[in-house]
Amino acid sequence: MKAIVYDRYGGPDVLDYREVPDPKLSQNSVLIRIKAAALNPADVALQAGLGDAHMPVWFPVIPGWDVAGVIETVGPGVKEFSPGDEVMSYVREEILHHGGYAELIAVPVYAVVRKPARASWEESAGLPLAGLTAYRAIVQTLAVTSQDVVLIHGASGGVGLLAAQLARNAGARVIGTAAASNHDVLRTFGVEPVEYGEGLVGRVRQIVPEGITAVLDCVGRGTLLATTAVNRANARVCSVADAGPGIVTVFARQDPDILRRLAQLMDEGTLRVIVAQVFPLHDAANAQRALSSRRRAGKIVLVP
Ligand SMILES: NC(=O)c1ccc[n+]([C@@H]2O[C@H](COP(=O)([O-])OP(=O)(O)OC[C@H]3O[C@@H](n4cnc5c(N)ncnc54)[C@H](OP(=O)(O)O)[C@@H]3O)[C@@H](O)[C@H]2O)c1
């Protein structure tokens, strides 16, 4: 098959589009012919070597953790799926080696979920990691309700846009930070946009003088601690992009039940993945450059 691989750590320039052996299919896995694969900031960070201290790596690495596609074959132990089934998956393993920037991937059956029928391949590929993270933060960690005024730092990103919709679905008022060029997109989801950067605390205070009750940080870089002045007493606060003393960090987890729930919300029309840009698989380097210099709300997706 054709895939994007890297043989050493580095930026987009280390990516190579070439022929590699087809994945082997073990007994409880399915082989997926990939129709779309989404990018995530973690792809770029791990490729730069930032996970080297704790993440085993086996070069050459095929990056990418989000795929949607058609099942080509199933292992002998798999009864849940058949060839032809349309699925999606968060394909993260605890070793960096097999990823989604490819034509095919073998995935353990426990990580595979049927794709939302109403969503495109690109939208489906954009759901797993960002959706699992957003759900864990908004529903399971912050437990947002209609009583909340939620502040989402980075509301125009892959995680932030889904988190904002989950919070709005719970009936909360949602304030979201984003570049001015993305404010109209946020408004379409019922989110009140605020520009990030210097003066942010004052801008939030102006529209929510009574204070914020729940905060999700999708930006990091000290954003959470720098903006505590907008929080009401006893505000619930978490980050998916920062760690350290005083910060509750939320991590995505492979959870097919939650991914099925998110797919159901997409089919019901109460959750949407915005696709910012689509690149052909061989152009993954430019897709990563677009991710790192991002200005358009939503997910960046590769199509083999
Ligand atoms: N813990 C986990 O399991 C987990 C899972 C997924 C992601 N993450 C992390 O969560 C973060 C967000 O992920 P994502 O996929 O949503 O990324 P993304 O799609 O690239 O979105 C990044 C967001 O940050 C905003 N932003 C960019 N520069 C900013 C600045 N200088 N100040 C404030 N905001 C700025 C962007 O706004 P504009 O585009 O409007 O400028 C956008 O809303 C990343 O750090 C990622 O690594 C963690």
Side-chain angles (χ1 to χ4, degrees):
M1 68 166 176
K2 282 281 201 296
I4 291 285
V5 297
Y6 56 91
D7 301 285
R8 60 188 165 84
Y9 289 134
D13 292 345
V14 301
L15 295 178
D16 187 25
Y17 180 63
R18 66 177 187 235
E19 192 69 30
V20 299
D22 283 0
K24 293 179 182 173
L25 184 64
S26 56
Q27 64 189 27
N28 288 314
S29 291
V30 304
L31 186 68
I32 299 173
R33 182 157 296 276
I34 296 169
K35 294 283 195 181
L39 273 66
N40 289 286
D43 306 349
V44 176
L46 292 168
Q47 185 179 311
L50 300 184
D52 193 63
H54 53 85
M55 191 92 178
V57 56
W58 180 8
F59 292 110
V61 173
I62 301 174
W65 283 346
D66 274 334
V67 304
V70 180
I71 292 187
E72 190 133 304
T73 14
V74 302
V78 174
K79 304 293 173 228
E80 302 90 327
F81 295 102
S82 310
D85 285 348
E86 300 187 343
V87 296
M88 62 181 175
S89 181
Y90 171 42
V91 301
R92 181 195 169 131
E93 291 179 79
E94 297 308 313
I95 179 167
L96 271 188
H97 182 58
H98 299 289
Y101 295 16
E103 290 179 326
L104 293 165
I105 189 166
V107 183
V109 68
Y110 61 75
V112 180
V113 164
R114 282 175 206 281
K115 141 189 188 299
R118 283 177 55 169
S120 68
W121 291 114
E122 291 83 357
E123 290 161 345
S124 303
L127 181 66
L129 176 51
L132 289 166
T133 310
Y135 193 94
R136 221 167 157 70
I138 293 294
V139 180
Q140 296 180 311
T141 305
L142 297 175
V144 167
T145 72
S146 59
Q147 304 303 305
D148 280 310
V149 183
V150 183
L151 172 61
I152 299 179
H153 296 286
S156 52
V159 177
L161 269 175
L162 291 167
Q165 293 173 73
L166 293 172
R168 290 290 294 138
N169 289 352
R173 181 179 173 195
V174 179
I175 319 299
T177 74
S181 55
N182 287 326
H183 285 193
D184 282 344
V185 178
L186 293 190
R187 285 190 195 99
T188 64
F189 289 104
V191 175
E192 297 165 61
V194 180
E195 208 162 339
Y196 51 68
E198 203 169 327
L200 173 61
V201 165
R203 287 191 289 281
V204 174
R205 272 205 182 122
Q206 203 167 7
I207 55 172
V208 194
E210 70 277 21
I212 300 293
T213 65
V215 186
L216 167 59
D217 165 37
C218 304
V219 172
R221 298 170 249 172
T223 301
L224 210 51
L225 297 181
T227 55
T228 50
V230 303
N231 298 349
R232 236 184 261 181
N234 301 322
R236 291 108 63 214
V237 172
C238 72
S239 179
V240 299
D242 220 341
I247 295 178
V248 175
T249 309
V250 173
F251 295 97
R253 186 177 284 177
Q254 217 153 33
D255 190 325
D257 289 336
I258 292 177
L259 196 47
R260 267 188 287 275
R261 172 80 189 123
L262 293 166
Q264 186 189 352
L265 294 176
M266 282 182 80
D267 274 336
E268 289 168 4
T270 53
L271 190 69
R272 271 172 58 210
V273 170
I274 297 293
V275 177
Q277 261 178 297
V278 180
F279 289 82
L281 175 62
H282 65 78
D283 206 15
N286 279 326
Q288 284 195 345
R289 290 184 189 104
L291 180 78
S292 300
S293 63
R294 52 160 301 125
R295 269 296 172 268
R296 281 160 80 170
K299 298 293 298 181
I300 293 176
V301 177
L302 297 172
V303 175

